[in-house]
Amino acid sequence: MQKVLVTGSNGLLGQKLIRLLQTPLYANQFDYLGISRGENRLPRLTKNYHPVDLTNLQAVKAAIEVYQPHIIIHTAAMTQVDDCEMNREACWQQNVKAVEYLLQAAQPYQSHFIHLSTDFIFDGKTGMYDEQATPNPISYYGESKLAAEKIVNHSPLPWAIVRTVLVYGVAEAMSRTNIVLWVKQSLEAGKAIKVVNDQWRTPTLAEDLAQGCMLIASQKAKGIFNISGQELLTPYDIALATAHFFQLDASLIEKVDGSLFKQPAQRPPKTGFNIEKAVQLLGYRPHSFQEGLGVLKTQLVS
Ligand SMILES: NC(=O)c1ccc[n+]([C@@H]2O[C@H](COP(=O)([O-])OP(=O)(O)OC[C@H]3O[C@@H](n4cnc5c(N)ncnc54)[C@H](OP(=O)(O)O)[C@@H]3O)[C@@H](O)[C@H]2O)c1
């Protein structure tokens, strides 16, 4: 049995990974341990969960020494872009120091380190991006994630970096929302929303991202992989598609420019990923955005 440590198991991707690891396909091959800050928010996990603050080196070392993972899928991070801009020290601790600590603690076990990164390492001037594109972050979040990538890249452990884009999906007791849920909930409440139409992304179904991570884990693949959806959409396109899919009132959605919002952190205008490498090498097959909405809908009613 291969032992997989999933950091951030309380988060959106973390929860999807834990669910995937419980399916027959993976349950026969992998044992898992979820770690996150605070209490377990996925109660079905009770016996395979430890609360660990990843910014505490001793706690990280202790957890890894006990479990001795063959594979670490590091999803935990400070993911709110504006929070990172305003709380730089906390962002650095969670997004950079935690990576350093995990790599250091895992060294004796030569764990395969699968690290989650982001399209926000790019400036968004020349998307869509492939794995060779040159990063140039324009937010502190992006800077911290790029710094973490560099540390992973220089690690003596076997490693893979998974870059992803605008993840959507449903999870239990979520600490943050995502674009599809925000649009759906706002329109259901009859609330008018302003949505930008001058940014482009390839939105990613959380299940697809989890699947991409597990393809890497199963194949012990190394290097950088873009794992996202494949349709290039603006947030406004996403909002309209969501409204139509759930038969909600699309007239509540107002198309606006990003310049309308005064946010602490800058957003890259056009990211979006070319996922050909993951398709060819890993057999990665993401859902279309429309299919992704269908997956999300079944989870909301179940
Ligand atoms: N979501 C996106 O749109 C997106 C886009 C590009 C890249 N990514 C990357 O993909 C990864 C997964 O994202 P996600 O959306 O699943 O994130 P998420 O839902 O925000 O979950 C992150 C998890 O990390 C945990 N965490 C944060 N700091 C920690 C610490 N010091 N010790 C232990 N646990 C800690 C959080 O715990 P609490 O719940 O207790 O705070 C949370 O459960 C991240 O690395 C992110 O940078 C995400």
Side-chain angles (χ1 to χ4, degrees), residues 8 10-14 36-37 41 52-55 75-79 94 116-119 141 145 164-167 175-176:
N10 273 337
L12 177 56
L13 171 59
S36 231
R37 217 168 18 191
R41 294 210 292 269
V52 177
D53 177 358
L54 294 172
T55 63
T75 86
M78 185 160 163
T79 54
Q94 288 171 63
L116 268 294
S117 191
T118 171
D119 56 332
Y141 169 73
K145 295 294 281 187
T164 193
V165 184
L166 197 63
V167 185
S175 56
R176 55 175 291 197

Side-chain angles (χ1 to χ4, degrees), residues 204-236:
T204 310
L205 179 67
E207 276 76 6
D208 286 341
L209 179 55
Q211 191 65 255
C213 292
M214 286 310 299
L215 287 170
I216 291 173
S218 311
Q219 298 172 29
K220 292 275 170 74
K222 299 190 197 83
I224 301 176
F225 292 93
N226 286 347
I227 300 282
S228 74
Q230 43 191 345
E231 288 142 276
L232 190 67
L233 302 171
T234 68
Y236 177 73

Side-chain angles (χ1 to χ4, degrees), residues 15 32 69 73 90 93 112 180 201 207 210 244-245 247 252 265 283:
Q15 289 195 23
Y32 67 85
I73 307 184
Q93 288 294 321
H112 187 199
V180 172
R201 305 285 183 259
E207 276 76 6
H244 291 139
F245 185 86
Q247 298 181 327
L252 291 167

Side-chain angles (χ1 to χ4, degrees), residues 194-201 235 254-269:
K194 295 183 189 339
V195 187
V196 301
N197 199 37
D198 57 354
Q199 290 173 11
W200 287 264
R201 305 285 183 259
E254 184 186 343
K255 187 197 293 187
V256 297
D257 283 354
S259 57
L260 187 83
F261 297 104
K262 295 285 162 267
Q263 292 166 302
Q266 278 192 70
R267 269 64 173 172

